[in-house]
Structures are given as C-alpha cells and as structure tokens.
Amino acid sequence: MNQQKIGKFLKCLRKEKGLTQEQVAEHFYVSSRTVSRWETGSNMPHIDMLIELADFYDVDIREIIDGERKSEKMNNETKETLKKVAEYTTEETNRRKEKLRTMLASSICLMLVSYLLFGNEHKGRLNGIIPANICDNIMSFVCGLALASLMLYALHCLGVFDKINQWKRSRKRNKCQ
C-alpha cells in the first residue's frame, strides 16, 4: 500500500470537484491540516473515513486504496482489495496501540525515576535536599500522571474513543440534515 500514491489520488479527486482542503475538512468535520496530511501521504484516514471519502468523491473504495482509477474489470481484484483493507485496518490499529504502549511505558518509567529521586519511604536521593512537602507534591503529580495514562490505555482498549468519534460524526451529520 503506497500512502503517497493514495494521497496524490485524494488530492486529484478533491481538485476535480473544485474544492479546497478547508471545504473538504468542513464537510468531514476534521481540520484542514488533517486533509493536508492525507494528501501528502504522511497520515491516512481511518477505514470509516475512507468509506465516506469514497462516497463523497463517487469512487470505489478500492480505487482509493490502490491510489488510481480502475476499469470495470475489478471482479478479479475484489479479494486482493479486501485483503488490503484488512491490512490497512490492522496497520492503523497497531500504530495506535504502539503509541499508547509508549505513553504507558514512559509514564511508568517516569514514576520509577521520580520514586528513586523523591520517594519518602526509602529516602530518595533528593529527599533530604528538597523539603518533604515538595517531594510529596512531585510524587503525587507523577502518580496521578501514571494513573491517567493507565486509564487512557484502558479506555482505548475498550474502544471508548472510537465510539465517541462515531457518536460525534453522527450527531454532526444529523444537525446538517
């Protein structure tokens, strides 16, 4: 899957309709920066958005995934395209999970380092130098940050953010109609 090719194709489709990036962004309730990233291939729309883009530009989703227009001989390519869609979805999910794992690991490392430097029980290295109440405040903040990271990771694993995005899109669509 060639993201730059897909981006160029999305840009071509937008220009064929005579639209600006801002107009497309308003239609899909995203930022113009997001549309720009799609068109440069630095970021790809989620699979739900790909389906909406295909409907909006009146093209087959397979054409968007391949980054080019196809003729009517697409029957043999259906299986391959479905594999690409599944691959795309898996890649997107893996990227998001990796970002969350990195955030979680970073917050846990921060918590451990802070405990070694400011911890009360084992007299952290800076506990005698910095007043105890400041050390306690730093540890409280770091523990809160780590807990927030754990909660965000749990919410992501449960799919809450995807449901919220779907709800927002459907609510905005209903307002427009």
Coordinates of all heavy atoms in Angstrom, one line a residue, residues 94-169:
N94 N -2.5 -1.1 15.0 CA -1.2 -1.4 15.6 C -0.4 -0.1 15.8 O 0.3 0.0 16.9 CB -0.3 -2.3 14.7 CG -0.8 -3.7 14.7 OD1 -1.6 -4.1 15.6 ND2 -0.4 -4.5 13.7
R95 N -0.5 0.9 15.0 CA 0.1 2.2 15.2 C -0.4 2.9 16.4 O 0.3 3.4 17.2 CB -0.1 3.1 14.0 CG 1.1 3.0 13.0 CD 1.0 4.0 11.9 NE 0.6 3.2 10.7 CZ -0.2 3.6 9.8 NH1 -0.7 4.7 9.7 NH2 -0.5 2.7 8.8
R96 N -1.8 2.9 16.6 CA -2.4 3.5 17.7 C -2.0 2.8 19.0 O -1.7 3.4 20.0 CB -3.9 3.5 17.6 CG -4.4 4.7 16.8 CD -5.8 5.0 17.0 NE -6.6 4.2 16.2 CZ -7.9 3.9 16.5 NH1 -8.4 4.3 17.6 NH2 -8.6 3.1 15.7
K97 N -2.0 1.4 19.0 CA -1.6 0.7 20.1 C -0.2 0.9 20.5 O 0.1 1.0 21.7 CB -1.9 -0.8 19.9 CG -3.3 -1.2 20.0 CD -3.5 -2.7 19.8 CE -4.9 -3.1 19.8 NZ -5.1 -4.5 19.6
E98 N 0.7 1.0 19.5 CA 2.1 1.3 19.8 C 2.3 2.6 20.5 O 3.1 2.8 21.4 CB 2.9 1.2 18.5 CG 4.4 1.2 18.8 CD 5.0 0.1 19.7 OE1 4.4 -1.0 19.6 OE2 5.9 0.4 20.4
K99 N 1.6 3.7 20.0 CA 1.6 5.0 20.6 C 1.2 4.9 22.1 O 1.8 5.5 23.0 CB 0.8 6.0 19.9 CG 1.4 6.4 18.6 CD 0.4 7.4 17.9 CE 1.0 7.8 16.5 NZ 0.1 8.7 15.8
L100 N 0.1 4.2 22.3 CA -0.4 4.1 23.7 C 0.6 3.3 24.6 O 0.8 3.7 25.8 CB -1.8 3.4 23.7 CG -2.9 4.4 23.3 CD1 -4.2 3.6 23.1 CD2 -3.1 5.4 24.3
R101 N 1.2 2.2 24.1 CA 2.1 1.5 24.9 C 3.3 2.3 25.2 O 3.8 2.3 26.3 CB 2.6 0.2 24.1 CG 1.6 -0.9 24.1 CD 2.2 -2.2 23.5 NE 1.1 -2.9 22.9 CZ 1.0 -3.2 21.6 NH1 1.8 -2.8 20.7 NH2 -0.1 -3.9 21.2
T102 N 3.8 3.1 24.3 CA 4.9 4.0 24.5 C 4.6 5.0 25.6 O 5.4 5.3 26.5 CB 5.3 4.7 23.2 OG1 5.6 3.8 22.2 CG2 6.5 5.7 23.4
M103 N 3.4 5.6 25.5 CA 2.9 6.5 26.5 C 2.9 5.9 27.9 O 3.3 6.4 28.9 CB 1.6 7.1 26.2 CG 1.1 8.1 27.1 SD -0.6 8.8 26.7 CE -1.6 7.3 27.1
L104 N 2.4 4.7 28.0 CA 2.2 3.9 29.2 C 3.6 3.6 29.8 O 3.9 3.8 31.0 CB 1.4 2.7 29.0 CG 1.1 1.8 30.2 CD1 0.2 2.6 31.2 CD2 0.4 0.6 29.8
A105 N 4.5 3.1 29.0 CA 5.8 2.8 29.4 C 6.6 4.0 29.9 O 7.3 3.9 30.9 CB 6.6 2.1 28.3
S106 N 6.4 5.1 29.2 CA 7.1 6.3 29.6 C 6.6 6.8 30.9 O 7.4 7.3 31.8 CB 6.9 7.4 28.5 OG 7.4 7.1 27.3
S107 N 5.3 6.8 31.1 CA 4.8 7.2 32.4 C 5.2 6.3 33.6 O 5.5 6.8 34.7 CB 3.3 7.3 32.4 OG 2.7 6.1 32.2
I108 N 5.3 5.0 33.3 CA 5.8 4.1 34.4 C 7.3 4.4 34.7 O 7.7 4.4 35.8 CB 5.5 2.7 34.0 CG1 4.0 2.4 34.0 CG2 6.3 1.7 34.9 CD1 3.6 1.0 33.5
C109 N 8.1 4.6 33.6 CA 9.5 4.9 33.9 C 9.6 6.2 34.6 O 10.4 6.3 35.6 CB 10.2 5.0 32.5 SG 10.5 3.4 31.7
L110 N 8.8 7.2 34.3 CA 8.8 8.5 35.0 C 8.5 8.3 36.5 O 9.1 8.9 37.3 CB 7.9 9.5 34.3 CG 7.7 10.9 35.0 CD1 9.1 11.6 34.9 CD2 6.6 11.6 34.3
M111 N 7.5 7.5 36.7 CA 7.1 7.2 38.1 C 8.3 6.5 38.9 O 8.5 6.9 40.0 CB 5.9 6.3 38.1 CG 5.2 6.2 39.5 SD 3.6 5.5 39.4 CE 4.1 3.8 39.6
L112 N 8.9 5.6 38.3 CA 10.0 4.9 39.0 C 11.2 5.8 39.2 O 11.7 5.8 40.3 CB 10.5 3.7 38.1 CG 9.5 2.5 38.0 CD1 10.0 1.5 37.1 CD2 9.3 1.9 39.4
V113 N 11.6 6.6 38.2 CA 12.7 7.6 38.4 C 12.3 8.6 39.5 O 13.1 8.9 40.4 CB 13.0 8.3 37.1 CG1 13.9 9.5 37.3 CG2 13.6 7.3 36.1
S114 N 11.1 9.1 39.5 CA 10.6 10.0 40.5 C 10.6 9.4 41.9 O 11.0 10.0 42.8 CB 9.2 10.5 40.2 OG 9.2 11.2 39.0
Y115 N 10.2 8.2 42.0 CA 10.3 7.5 43.3 C 11.7 7.4 43.8 O 11.9 7.6 45.0 CB 9.6 6.1 43.1 CG 9.5 5.4 44.5 CD1 8.6 5.8 45.4 CD2 10.4 4.3 44.8 CE1 8.5 5.1 46.6 CE2 10.4 3.7 46.0 CZ 9.4 4.1 46.9 OH 9.3 3.5 48.1
L116 N 12.6 7.1 42.9 CA 14.0 7.0 43.3 C 14.6 8.3 43.8 O 15.4 8.4 44.7 CB 14.9 6.4 42.2 CG 14.7 4.9 41.9 CD1 15.5 4.5 40.6 CD2 15.0 4.0 43.1
L117 N 14.1 9.4 43.1 CA 14.7 10.7 43.4 C 13.9 11.4 44.6 O 14.5 12.0 45.4 CB 14.6 11.6 42.2 CG 15.5 11.3 41.0 CD1 15.2 12.2 39.9 CD2 16.9 11.3 41.4
F118 N 12.6 11.2 44.7 CA 11.8 12.0 45.6 C 11.1 11.1 46.6 O 10.4 11.6 47.5 CB 10.8 12.8 44.9 CG 11.4 13.8 43.9 CD1 11.3 13.5 42.5 CD2 12.1 14.9 44.3 CE1 11.9 14.4 41.6 CE2 12.6 15.7 43.4 CZ 12.5 15.5 42.0
G119 N 11.1 9.8 46.5 CA 10.3 8.9 47.3 C 10.6 9.1 48.8 O 11.7 9.3 49.3
N120 N 9.5 8.9 49.6 CA 9.6 9.1 51.1 C 10.1 7.9 51.8 O 10.9 8.0 52.7 CB 8.2 9.5 51.6 CG 8.2 10.8 52.2 OD1 9.2 11.5 52.3 ND2 7.0 11.3 52.6
E121 N 9.6 6.7 51.5 CA 9.9 5.5 52.3 C 11.4 5.2 52.4 O 11.9 4.9 53.4 CB 9.1 4.3 51.7 CG 7.7 4.3 52.1 CD 7.0 3.1 51.6 OE1 7.6 2.0 51.6 OE2 5.8 3.2 51.2
H122 N 12.0 5.2 51.2 CA 13.4 4.8 51.2 C 14.4 6.0 51.1 O 15.5 5.8 50.7 CB 13.7 3.8 50.0 CG 12.8 2.6 50.1 ND1 13.0 1.6 51.1 CD2 11.8 2.2 49.4 CE1 12.1 0.7 51.0 NE2 11.4 1.0 50.0
K123 N 13.9 7.1 51.4 CA 14.7 8.3 51.4 C 15.4 8.5 50.0 O 16.5 8.2 49.8 CB 15.8 8.3 52.5 CG 15.2 8.3 53.9 CD 14.5 9.5 54.2 CE 13.9 9.4 55.6 NZ 12.8 10.3 55.9
G124 N 14.6 9.0 49.1 CA 15.1 9.2 47.7 C 16.3 10.1 47.8 O 16.5 10.9 48.7
R125 N 17.0 10.1 46.7 CA 18.3 10.9 46.7 C 18.1 12.4 46.9 O 19.0 13.0 47.5 CB 19.0 10.7 45.3 CG 19.4 9.2 45.1 CD 20.3 9.1 43.9 NE 20.6 7.8 43.6 CZ 21.6 7.1 44.2 NH1 22.3 7.6 45.1 NH2 21.8 5.8 43.8
L126 N 17.0 12.9 46.5 CA 16.8 14.4 46.7 C 15.9 14.7 47.9 O 15.6 15.9 48.1 CB 16.2 15.0 45.4 CG 17.1 14.9 44.2 CD1 16.4 15.4 42.9 CD2 18.4 15.6 44.4
N127 N 15.5 13.7 48.6 CA 14.5 13.9 49.7 C 15.1 14.8 50.8 O 14.4 15.5 51.4 CB 14.0 12.6 50.3 CG 12.7 12.7 51.0 OD1 12.2 13.8 51.1 ND2 12.3 11.6 51.6
G128 N 16.4 14.6 51.1 CA 17.0 15.5 52.1 C 17.3 16.9 51.7 O 17.4 17.8 52.4
I129 N 17.5 17.0 50.4 CA 17.9 18.3 49.8 C 16.6 19.2 49.6 O 16.6 20.4 49.9 CB 18.6 18.1 48.5 CG1 19.9 17.3 48.7 CG2 19.0 19.5 47.8 CD1 20.6 16.8 47.5
I130 N 15.6 18.6 49.1 CA 14.3 19.3 48.8 C 13.4 19.0 49.9 O 13.3 17.9 50.4 CB 13.8 18.8 47.4 CG1 14.7 19.1 46.3 CG2 12.4 19.5 47.2 CD1 14.3 18.6 45.0
P131 N 12.6 20.0 50.4 CA 11.7 19.8 51.5 C 10.7 18.6 51.2 O 10.3 18.4 50.1 CB 11.0 21.1 51.6 CG 11.9 22.1 51.0 CD 12.7 21.4 49.9
A132 N 10.3 18.0 52.3 CA 9.5 16.8 52.2 C 8.1 17.1 51.5 O 7.7 16.3 50.7 CB 9.2 16.2 53.6
N133 N 7.5 18.2 51.8 CA 6.2 18.5 51.2 C 6.4 18.7 49.7 O 5.5 18.3 48.9 CB 5.6 19.8 51.8 CG 6.4 21.0 51.6 OD1 7.6 21.0 51.3 ND2 5.7 22.2 51.8
I134 N 7.5 19.3 49.2 CA 7.7 19.4 47.7 C 7.9 18.0 47.1 O 7.3 17.7 46.1 CB 8.8 20.4 47.4 CG1 8.5 21.8 47.9 CG2 9.2 20.3 45.9 CD1 9.6 22.8 47.7
C135 N 8.7 17.2 47.8 CA 8.8 15.8 47.3 C 7.5 15.1 47.2 O 7.2 14.4 46.2 CB 9.8 15.0 48.2 SG 11.5 15.6 48.0
D136 N 6.7 15.3 48.2 CA 5.3 14.6 48.2 C 4.5 15.1 47.1 O 3.8 14.4 46.4 CB 4.6 14.9 49.6 CG 5.3 14.1 50.7 OD1 6.0 13.1 50.5 OD2 5.0 14.5 51.9
N137 N 4.5 16.4 46.8 CA 3.8 17.0 45.7 C 4.2 16.5 44.4 O 3.4 16.2 43.5 CB 3.9 18.5 45.7 CG 3.1 19.2 46.9 OD1 2.2 18.5 47.5 ND2 3.4 20.4 47.2
I138 N 5.5 16.4 44.2 CA 6.1 15.8 43.0 C 5.6 14.4 42.8 O 5.2 14.0 41.7 CB 7.6 15.9 42.9 CG1 8.0 17.4 42.8 CG2 8.2 15.1 41.7 CD1 9.5 17.7 43.0
M139 N 5.7 13.6 43.8 CA 5.3 12.2 43.7 C 3.8 12.1 43.5 O 3.4 11.2 42.7 CB 5.7 11.4 45.0 CG 7.1 11.1 45.1 SD 7.8 10.2 43.7 CE 6.8 8.7 43.7
S140 N 3.0 12.9 44.1 CA 1.5 12.9 43.8 C 1.2 13.2 42.4 O 0.4 12.5 41.7 CB 0.8 13.9 44.7 OG 1.0 13.5 46.1
F141 N 1.9 14.2 41.8 CA 1.7 14.6 40.4 C 2.1 13.4 39.5 O 1.3 13.1 38.6 CB 2.5 15.8 40.1 CG 2.5 16.2 38.6 CD1 1.4 16.8 38.1 CD2 3.6 15.9 37.8 CE1 1.3 17.1 36.7 CE2 3.5 16.2 36.5 CZ 2.4 16.8 35.9
V142 N 3.3 12.8 39.7 CA 3.7 11.8 38.9 C 2.8 10.5 39.0 O 2.5 9.9 38.0 CB 5.2 11.4 39.2 CG1 5.6 10.2 38.5 CG2 6.1 12.6 38.8
C143 N 2.4 10.2 40.2 CA 1.4 9.1 40.3 C 0.1 9.4 39.6 O -0.5 8.5 39.0 CB 1.2 8.8 41.8 SG 2.6 8.0 42.6
G144 N -0.4 10.6 39.7 CA -1.6 11.0 39.0 C -1.4 10.8 37.5 O -2.3 10.4 36.8
L145 N -0.3 11.3 37.0 CA 0.0 11.2 35.6 C 0.1 9.7 35.1 O -0.5 9.3 34.1 CB 1.4 11.8 35.3 CG 1.8 11.9 33.8 CD1 0.8 12.8 33.1 CD2 3.2 12.5 33.7
A146 N 0.7 8.8 35.9 CA 0.7 7.4 35.6 C -0.7 6.8 35.6 O -1.0 6.0 34.8 CB 1.7 6.7 36.5
L147 N -1.5 7.2 36.6 CA -2.8 6.7 36.7 C -3.7 7.1 35.5 O -4.4 6.3 34.9 CB -3.5 7.1 38.0 CG -4.9 6.6 38.3 CD1 -4.9 5.1 38.3 CD2 -5.5 7.3 39.5
A148 N -3.5 8.4 35.1 CA -4.2 8.9 33.9 C -3.8 8.1 32.7 O -4.7 7.8 31.8 CB -3.9 10.4 33.8
S149 N -2.5 7.8 32.5 CA -2.1 7.0 31.4 C -2.7 5.7 31.4 O -3.1 5.2 30.3 CB -0.5 6.9 31.4 OG 0.1 8.1 31.3
L150 N -2.8 5.0 32.5 CA -3.4 3.7 32.6 C -4.9 3.8 32.3 O -5.4 2.9 31.6 CB -3.2 3.1 34.1 CG -1.9 2.6 34.4 CD1 -1.8 2.3 35.9 CD2 -1.6 1.3 33.7
M151 N -5.5 4.8 32.7 CA -7.0 5.0 32.4 C -7.2 5.2 30.9 O -8.1 4.6 30.3 CB -7.6 6.1 33.2 CG -7.7 5.8 34.7 SD -8.2 7.1 35.8 CE -9.7 7.7 35.0
L152 N -6.3 6.0 30.3 CA -6.4 6.3 28.9 C -6.2 5.0 28.1 O -6.9 4.7 27.1 CB -5.5 7.3 28.4 CG -5.8 8.8 28.8 CD1 -4.7 9.7 28.5 CD2 -7.1 9.2 28.1
Y153 N -5.2 4.2 28.5 CA -4.9 2.9 27.8 C -6.1 2.0 28.0 O -6.5 1.3 27.0 CB -3.7 2.3 28.4 CG -3.2 1.1 27.7 CD1 -2.6 1.2 26.5 CD2 -3.3 -0.2 28.3 CE1 -2.1 0.1 25.8 CE2 -2.9 -1.3 27.6 CZ -2.3 -1.2 26.4 OH -1.9 -2.3 25.7
A154 N -6.7 1.9 29.1 CA -7.9 1.0 29.3 C -9.0 1.5 28.5 O -9.7 0.7 27.9 CB -8.3 1.0 30.8
L155 N -9.3 2.8 28.4 CA -10.4 3.3 27.6 C -10.2 3.0 26.1 O -11.1 2.7 25.4 CB -10.6 4.8 27.8 CG -11.1 5.2 29.2 CD1 -11.1 6.7 29.4 CD2 -12.5 4.7 29.4
H156 N -8.9 3.1 25.7 CA -8.6 2.8 24.3 C -8.9 1.3 24.0 O -9.5 1.0 23.0 CB -7.2 3.2 24.0 CG -6.8 2.7 22.6 ND1 -7.3 3.3 21.5 CD2 -6.0 1.7 22.2 CE1 -6.8 2.6 20.4 NE2 -6.0 1.6 20.9
C157 N -8.4 0.5 24.9 CA -8.6 -1.0 24.7 C -10.0 -1.3 24.7 O -10.4 -2.3 24.0 CB -7.9 -1.7 25.8 SG -6.1 -1.7 25.7
L158 N -10.9 -0.6 25.4 CA -12.3 -0.9 25.4 C -13.0 -0.3 24.2 O -14.2 -0.5 24.0 CB -12.9 -0.4 26.7 CG -12.5 -1.1 28.0 CD1 -13.0 -0.3 29.2 CD2 -13.0 -2.5 28.0
G159 N -12.3 0.6 23.4 CA -12.9 1.2 22.2 C -13.8 2.4 22.5 O -14.6 2.8 21.6
V160 N -13.6 3.0 23.6 CA -14.5 4.1 24.0 C -14.2 5.3 23.1 O -15.2 5.9 22.7 CB -14.2 4.5 25.5 CG1 -14.9 5.8 25.9 CG2 -14.6 3.4 26.4
F161 N -13.0 5.6 22.7 CA -12.7 6.7 21.9 C -13.3 6.6 20.5 O -13.8 7.5 19.9 CB -11.2 7.0 21.8 CG -10.6 7.3 23.1 CD1 -9.6 6.5 23.7 CD2 -11.0 8.4 23.9 CE1 -9.0 6.8 24.9 CE2 -10.4 8.7 25.1 CZ -9.5 7.9 25.6
D162 N -13.2 5.4 19.9 CA -13.9 5.1 18.6 C -15.4 5.4 18.7 O -15.9 6.0 17.8 CB -13.6 3.7 18.2 CG -12.1 3.5 17.8 OD1 -11.4 4.5 17.5 OD2 -11.7 2.3 17.9
K163 N -16.0 4.9 19.8 CA -17.4 5.1 19.9 C -17.8 6.6 20.0 O -18.8 7.1 19.5 CB -17.9 4.3 21.1 CG -17.9 2.8 20.9 CD -18.3 2.1 22.2 CE -18.1 0.6 21.9 NZ -18.4 -0.2 23.2
I164 N -16.9 7.3 20.8 CA -17.2 8.8 20.9 C -17.0 9.5 19.6 O -17.9 10.3 19.2 CB -16.2 9.4 21.9 CG1 -16.5 8.9 23.3 CG2 -16.2 10.9 21.9 CD1 -15.5 9.3 24.4
N165 N -16.0 9.1 18.8 CA -15.9 9.7 17.4 C -17.0 9.4 16.5 O -17.5 10.3 15.8 CB -14.5 9.3 16.8 CG -13.3 10.0 17.4 OD1 -13.5 11.1 18.0 ND2 -12.2 9.3 17.3
Q166 N -17.5 8.2 16.6 CA -18.7 7.8 15.8 C -19.9 8.6 16.2 O -20.7 9.1 15.3 CB -18.9 6.3 15.9 CG -17.9 5.4 15.2 CD -18.2 4.0 15.5 OE1 -19.0 3.6 16.3 NE2 -17.4 3.1 14.8
W167 N -20.1 8.7 17.5 CA -21.2 9.5 18.0 C -21.1 11.0 17.6 O -22.1 11.5 17.1 CB -21.3 9.4 19.5 CG -22.3 10.2 20.2 CD1 -23.7 9.9 20.2 CD2 -22.2 11.5 20.8 NE1 -24.3 10.9 20.9 CE2 -23.4 11.9 21.2 CE3 -21.1 12.3 21.1 CZ2 -23.6 13.1 21.9 CZ3 -21.3 13.5 21.7 CH2 -22.5 13.9 22.1
K168 N -19.9 11.6 17.6 CA -19.8 13.0 17.2 C -20.1 13.1 15.7 O -20.8 14.1 15.4 CB -18.3 13.4 17.5 CG -18.0 13.8 18.9 CD -16.6 14.2 19.0 CE -16.1 14.6 20.3 NZ -14.7 15.0 20.4
R169 N -19.6 12.2 14.9 CA -19.9 12.3 13.5 C -21.3 12.2 13.2 O -21.9 13.0 12.4 CB -19.1 11.2 12.7 CG -17.7 11.6 12.5 CD -17.0 10.6 11.4 NE -15.6 10.6 11.7 CZ -15.0 9.5 12.0 NH1 -15.6 8.3 12.1 NH2 -13.7 9.5 12.3

